[in-house]
Amino acid sequence: MPNSPPSDSDHRRTLERLDRFSYWTDSNIRVPLTNFRFGLSPLIGLIPGIGDFAGLLLSLYVLHEARKIGADRKVQRKIIQNMLIEFFGGLIPVLGDAFDAVYKANTKNTALLRNYIYKEIGEEPPWKFPWFTFIWVSLLILILLAAIYYFM
């Protein structure tokens, strides 16, 4: 029996798996007193000699899922590009581990695949207005304007 194209429910299950994977590899640990999160990937990268290679192998999971759902070559190339940027960036001693914690290739690649899937099924991806950032930046601007007004 030939392979049938993935259904919408297959796509949604793929995204659920990738969201869990990205969460664990890129953002499951929160730095206390901050909003900064990192995952197991930068921790694995700390293992000398094999850590970054192991992280690269883990990242292949997203590419595997992309191929499984039939993502086009452009999406797959971008996924590979993100994986290699994180891999080579992670090879730099000390700074590479910080880069790995910030770059979050698996999260980027999951977002790429999410956008591809939503485009394929003819839906708009859900978007949430960044209220926290909006309020924080607005307050910062108000404080700066008040300080300028006060000191002039």
Side-chain angles (χ1 to χ4, degrees):
M1 180 164 105
N3 288 344
S4 59
S7 67
D8 289 358
S9 62
D10 292 335
H11 285 128
R12 293 185 200 290
R13 283 193 302 273
T14 296
L15 288 176
E16 288 170 7
R17 284 191 305 273
L18 289 175
D19 283 337
R20 280 192 306 272
F21 176 76
S22 296
Y23 171 77
W24 284 100
T25 58
D26 290 342
S27 59
N28 69 319
I29 302 167
R30 184 167 92 46
V31 176
L33 305 176
T34 71
N35 286 329
F36 183 73
R37 302 180 77 86
F38 64 95
L40 298 175
S41 186
L43 294 178
I44 293 169
L46 291 171
I47 302 169
I50 62 165
D52 292 306
F53 185 70
L56 179 65
L57 290 177
L58 282 172
S59 293
L60 285 172
Y61 174 67
V62 181
L63 182 61
H64 168 73
E65 290 288 347
R67 288 186 172 164
K68 210 163 88 173
I69 65 161
D72 63 31
R73 291 191 185 276
K74 182 179 177 184
V75 171
Q76 291 182 40
R77 275 194 304 273
K78 185 66 176 162
I79 288 171
I80 292 169
Q81 178 184 345
N82 285 336
M83 289 168 44
L84 292 175
I85 288 170
E86 186 172 79
F87 173 71
F88 286 112
L91 292 176
I92 302 166
V94 182
L95 294 178
D97 298 311
F99 176 78
D100 194 16
V102 172
Y103 190 70
K104 302 177 188 298
N106 295 321
T107 300
K108 289 178 187 299
N109 290 338
T110 297
L112 275 171
L113 206 50
R114 173 175 281 104
N115 289 336
Y116 171 79
I117 288 171
Y118 277 110
K119 187 176 171 185
E120 285 296 302
I121 62 176
E123 285 184 28
E124 287 291 319
W127 182 77
K128 296 178 185 173
F129 189 80
W131 285 107
F132 178 78
T133 303
F134 174 74
I135 293 168
W136 180 83
V137 170
S138 297
L139 288 173
L140 180 64
I141 291 171
L142 284 173
I143 291 169
L144 289 172
L145 289 175
I148 289 170
Y149 179 77
Y150 179 76
F151 288 110
M152 293 198 95

